[in-house]
Amino acid sequence: MTRLFNDPAAFADEALEGFTAAHRRWVRPVTGGVVRATATPAGQVAVVIGGGSGHYPAFSGLVGRGLAHGAAVGNVFASPSARQIHSVATAAHAGGGVLLMYGNYAGDVLHFGQAAERLAADGVETRTFAVADDISSAGPEESAKRRGIAGDLPVFKAAAAAAEQGLPLEEVLRVAERAGARTRSFGIAFSGCTLPGADHPLFTVPEARMAVGLGIHGEPGIGEEALPTADEAARLLVETLLKELPEDVADPAGQRAAVILNGLGSVKYEELFVVYRKVAALLGDAGVEIVDPEVGELVTSFDMAGISLTLTWLDDRLEELWRAPADTPAYRKGALDAAEPDPDRASVTAAAQDTAVPAPPVVPAASDASRGAADTVLAALDAVARVVDAHADELGRIDAVAGDGDHGIGMRRGSTAAHRAAHDAHGLGAGAGTVLTRAADAWADKAGGTSGALWGTILRSLGTALGDRDAPDAARVADGVTEASAAVRRLGGAEVGDKTMVDVLVPFADALAAATAEGLPLTDAWDRAATTATAAAAGTADLLPRRGRARPHAEKSLGTPDAGAHSLALITRAVHGALLDHH
């Protein structure tokens, strides 16, 4: 378990602060993460990676020459927000465009995609690439749905080495695509990980058993088997990966491969070496030439007891890039000339940043009627934060049945930050629309993950509909909820029946629109729609998930409602209480 922490909510920020203090030769802090402390040649493509905390040395430990130019760092097991990613990429950009790289998780896909749009709007040419190397998370026919695990490293490195050679953005992207297409990973675990402040692991493995095909966010494996010997574990990993070769590799014999035996957090290096000894022998027996193997902790999951094996099948070009030198806090290879510091970007010292006085926040002008409506909005957001806090543990337990168990934690972070931002905006005289949009930004920024992106979208849609000019009526509120429903489906790609929050949001929006069209006042219309939401959330227990981290464990979730759907239903009922109090 994680024993050394202060406030669990501050763990990721404090860990990043300590990391940068310890590694100033390589990195410097920026809002949202870190960038290289050394100068980047003008016109070089910036490779910006990122993901949640809890995976060190991914992602911040891989920033430095020969590897990433910057890393956006989210909260524990939660993707960084679009704002964090945009900030890091802006700081890392050297005029040659930006390639955003991340593991293939829904929250990362949403936030990095939004950041790419913002960078493009700034005039920065940007591309994105999601690593999808975990063969246990989807079959070959659905390889685009696979999640990214330890294969992140060889794919990131290939792209970054190509950028160091001065290649243009499109060619760097093609290198990433080539490396990703030739990378496969598979893992096993003997116990789950425990997050800071938690009193139990996200999943458990029975005595003398192991979980097979696990993820790196505390997701349980796709199956269980008897606890193996080291040699048996090595054979399982190797034989599983050799069953699925890249399309242009007919036979492993005569092929070259970059090999990574990765420890997930609490397997000791000596144990890894015992396993690797057999891995190397088995690959040799298959005729595979191993190129620059890596044995150690490269992508972890806090204190999870587990290992994964990654093979990247090399051609001449990929081998050149894999062997290229790199110098980062956690990954070093070969030799590089002495680095020059970046005086232009480091001109503002940390001390100056700490003492700088921020400009006072400004809110748009609002009518008295809208400011009055903002009172109700603030009360509603307070009710949201309170109901989420009361049910956070329950939401985590529901999420842990087939997912990673962090839904309650993320919702608590997001709703608390949203209420705080709304309170500040309200205190400055903001109207209802601005109060909601400020809350939306804070929720997305602090929660990260899929729920952060989606709840930011919901609140922003409502804020846009309400505006700051006058008091919104029931029809306008219903229109805002309808647009929020449509926006969430556009952004996340889920539809009714996929076992997500959409299974509640769509019927809730439809019921609210129908009730207001009948002429019901907002409190009565919301009450009817909230009842519909509660029933819809309960109905998700009978569905199989078709999206998100729960999808590989679909059968396990039968009989349990979707955590996102359940939290949305709780929130709709809590907001009804706030509407009654301010009627």
Side-chain angles (χ1 to χ4, degrees), residues 72-99:
V73 182
N75 221 306
V76 175
F77 288 1
S79 64
S81 70
R83 183 161 60 176
Q84 290 175 298
I85 300 161
H86 177 269
S87 169
V88 173
T90 299
H93 183 228
V98 173
L99 176 59

Side-chain angles (χ1 to χ4, degrees), residues 95-299:
V98 173
L99 176 59
L100 300 176
M101 302 186 71
Y102 45 91
N104 191 31
Y105 296 90
D108 294 283
V109 172
L110 293 178
H111 286 290
F112 277 90
Q114 291 175 329
E117 293 174 356
R118 296 184 189 183
L119 289 164
D122 295 343
V124 176
E125 190 177 8
T126 306
R127 299 291 183 271
T128 65
F129 184 78
V131 181
D133 58 301
D134 178 22
I135 66 171
S136 70
S137 52
E141 71 284 354
E142 294 185 305
S143 59
K145 294 182 179 180
R146 290 175 168 174
R147 57 197 171 194
I149 52 176
D152 284 354
L153 173 61
V155 181
F156 291 168
K157 187 176 187 303
E164 292 280 2
Q165 293 176 350
L167 297 184
L169 180 59
E170 290 299 335
E171 292 189 34
V172 174
L173 174 61
R174 281 195 289 273
V175 165
E177 292 170 342
R178 175 71 168 165
R182 285 178 149 247
T183 299
R184 308 283 190 276
S185 298
F186 184 71
I188 58 177
F190 317 109
S191 70
C193 58
T194 304
L195 302 186
D199 57 5
H200 58 274
L202 292 176
F203 72 90
T204 58
V205 180
E207 190 73 22
R209 302 285 288 176
M210 70 172 174
V212 178
L214 65 139
I216 58 167
H217 294 94
E219 307 100 320
I222 59 174
E224 287 182 4
E225 295 185 11
L227 189 67
T229 64
D231 284 0
E232 290 168 344
R235 186 174 300 278
L236 172 64
L237 295 172
V238 171
E239 290 182 351
T240 301
L241 290 180
L242 291 184
K243 289 177 183 177
E244 187 187 317
L245 302 174
E247 291 183 0
D248 56 352
V249 176
D251 189 318
Q255 299 292 327
R256 293 161 288 168
V259 178
I260 297 174
L261 183 63
N262 176 58
L264 283 158
S266 62
V267 174
K268 303 303 294 181
Y269 272 66
E270 286 88 346
E271 295 175 274
L272 291 174
F273 292 136
V274 172
V275 175
Y276 183 73
R277 138 196 171 278
K278 187 64 173 179
V279 166
L282 291 169
L283 289 173
D285 291 343
V288 179
E289 178 186 346
I290 297 173
V291 179
D292 283 5
E294 296 286 348
V295 180
E297 293 184 348
L298 283 308
V299 179

Side-chain angles (χ1 to χ4, degrees), residues 39-48 69 89-98 124 342 345:
T40 298
Q44 186 175 106
V45 171
V47 174
V48 174
H69 295 74
T90 299
H93 183 228
V98 173
V124 176
D342 190 348
R345 295 179 185 175

Side-chain angles (χ1 to χ4, degrees), residues 33 68 412 552:
R412 177 185 276 152

Side-chain angles (χ1 to χ4, degrees), residues 373-389 411-426 431-443 455-456 458-460 462-463 466 526 571 574-579 582:
D375 294 341
T376 303
V377 169
L378 183 61
L381 289 168
D382 177 53
V384 169
R386 284 188 284 108
V387 76
V388 167
D389 185 63
M411 290 290 289
R412 177 185 276 152
R413 285 195 300 255
S415 60
T416 300
H419 179 251
R420 186 180 300 118
H423 180 273
D424 293 344
H426 180 265
T434 296
V435 168
L436 278 166
T437 54
R438 296 286 174 90
D441 289 342
W443 193 314
W455 272 99
I458 290 171
L459 296 184
R460 180 165 289 279
L462 284 168
L466 267 57
W526 196 284
I571 285 170
V575 170
H576 178 248
L579 293 175
H582 284 75

